[in-house]
Amino acid sequence: MNREEYLTSATKHLRETVFSKAALEIPNDVKLTCGWPSSGGTSAKRKTVGQCWPRSASKEEVNQIFISPMIADTIEVLGVLAHELVHAIDDCENGHKAPFRRMALAIGLTGKMT
């Protein structure tokens, strides 16, 4: 299984378990890839480990999620993926503000939301 297949499989599992229990619906057409962020890559002081792009940024009008290939720990990958999927549900409209925080807490994410 390659990284994208893993992320797709993990999203399906998260959709059916974690997100459904919180009554949150992940868009069916979200695109997932393992790739470098637009900023905050390996040479940045503060590393970006995941990014979700709004539908308006895509020619296909879908959310695009990038998870850094620098993350080796499966649990960390799943946490970053869950965080980015919350952004996809919100279509990146609220950043890390209250609506995002409510959804993140509802699926069990803790700590600082950035």
Side-chain angles (χ1 to χ4, degrees):
M1 179 180 294
N2 68 34
R3 292 173 177 175
E4 283 75 18
E5 291 169 335
Y6 173 81
L7 292 172
T8 299
S9 177
T11 298
K12 181 179 182 225
H13 180 72
L14 289 170
R15 175 183 285 121
E16 294 170 353
T17 56
V18 177
F19 283 82
S20 66
K21 287 180 183 173
L24 295 171
E25 191 172 329
I26 299 169
N28 287 323
D29 57 357
V30 66
K31 300 290 183 192
L32 305 158
T33 193
C34 188
W36 303 109
S38 64
S39 63
T42 59
S43 62
K45 189 175 187 179
R46 184 165 176 258
K47 308 250 184 293
T48 301
V49 293
Q51 278 187 324
C52 179
W53 289 84
R55 291 175 173 274
S56 62
S58 166
K59 183 178 176 183
E60 298 172 303
E61 296 187 6
V62 298
N63 294 108
Q64 303 261 351
I65 293 177
F66 295 85
I67 306 295
S68 172
M70 296 298 291
I71 307 170
D73 181 73
T74 301
I75 299 301
E76 186 179 357
V77 169
L78 292 174
V80 172
L81 177 59
H83 175 107
E84 299 307 330
L85 289 169
V86 173
H87 282 303
I89 291 168
D90 184 49
D91 197 24
C92 307
E93 288 184 18
N94 291 290
H96 296 108
K97 295 178 183 162
F100 172 88
R101 183 172 174 72
R102 278 192 296 277
M103 289 186 281
L105 291 172
I107 64 164
L109 295 180
T110 60
K112 193 173 179 183
M113 292 295 144
T114 56

